[in-house]
Amino acid sequence: MMKTEFVTICTIGFVALGVRLPAAGAQDAVPPEDAGAMVKREIKTFLEHYRTTTAAGDGAALRKLYVADERFAWFSDGRLRYATPGELVKALVGVQASDFVLNTTYSNNRTTPLTKNLASVSMSFRTDAKSAAGPGFSYAGAITLLLERADEGAW
């Protein structure tokens, strides 16, 4: 019963994102356990790349990590904070331009492979912003990502 409810919830979410669940038995159906473990390893590698790219303040590289269409939405504090990847990248790069160095750590990672090319990731994070010029600041919270494997194989 629980699995049926989960699929129903996901279907509603996917319709809103313009992505549909594959038909039963389709090639990109939910991966078997060993393929799911591989997806989790790939996602872990992606998250480390995302963390270091954000810390480096590399706007061009960051922009490549986000979907470049209307599916993108970044919610924070209960509201839509960034409607486009460009808005988010500008804010992230702006922090580095202010002489702050970002260091983000993740914990409680819950990666759920949905298909071989789609995964849901929920986790806690803490970001410390430090500056040689003075005091820094920190913020923490939770984040949920819907990650899609691109045609070239990258998440």
Side-chain angles (χ1 to χ4, degrees):
M1 181 69 174
M2 183 69 154
K3 188 169 186 160
T4 302
E5 291 172 3
F6 178 75
V7 171
T8 302
I9 291 168
C10 288
T11 301
I12 291 168
F14 291 147
V15 171
L17 292 171
V19 178
R20 61 183 173 83
L21 283 173
Q27 182 180 353
D28 63 346
V30 176
E33 194 169 324
D34 57 337
M38 182 180 71
V39 167
K40 288 180 179 182
R41 284 192 304 275
E42 291 173 354
I43 297 294
K44 184 177 180 180
T45 300
F46 167 83
L47 291 172
E48 179 59 19
H49 174 66
Y50 178 79
R51 188 188 71 74
T52 57
T53 302
T54 301
D58 185 344
L62 274 172
R63 187 175 296 266
K64 291 177 183 178
L65 300 179
Y66 296 105
V67 65
D69 60 34
E70 69 281 350
R71 294 177 295 162
F72 178 87
W74 187 282
F75 288 85
S76 181
D77 297 325
R79 68 181 179 91
L80 179 63
R81 182 71 55 149
Y82 305 106
T84 68
E87 292 174 8
L88 175 62
V89 169
K90 182 178 178 182
L92 291 171
V93 172
V95 172
Q96 276 82 359
S98 303
D99 192 37
F100 283 100
V101 176
L102 299 179
N103 182 34
T104 301
T105 55
Y106 303 122
S107 60
N108 305 314
N109 182 323
R110 306 276 300 218
T111 298
T112 305
L114 303 172
T115 72
K116 71 176 187 176
N117 294 318
L118 194 64
S120 172
V121 180
S122 295
M123 62 192 155
S124 303
F125 73 91
R126 177 183 172 87
T127 299
D128 296 306
K130 297 186 180 186
S131 172
F137 61 92
S138 296
Y139 56 96
I143 187 169
T144 296
L145 306 167
L146 185 60
L147 298 177
E148 179 180 36
R149 187 190 316 266
D151 290 337
E152 68 276 359
W155 288 92

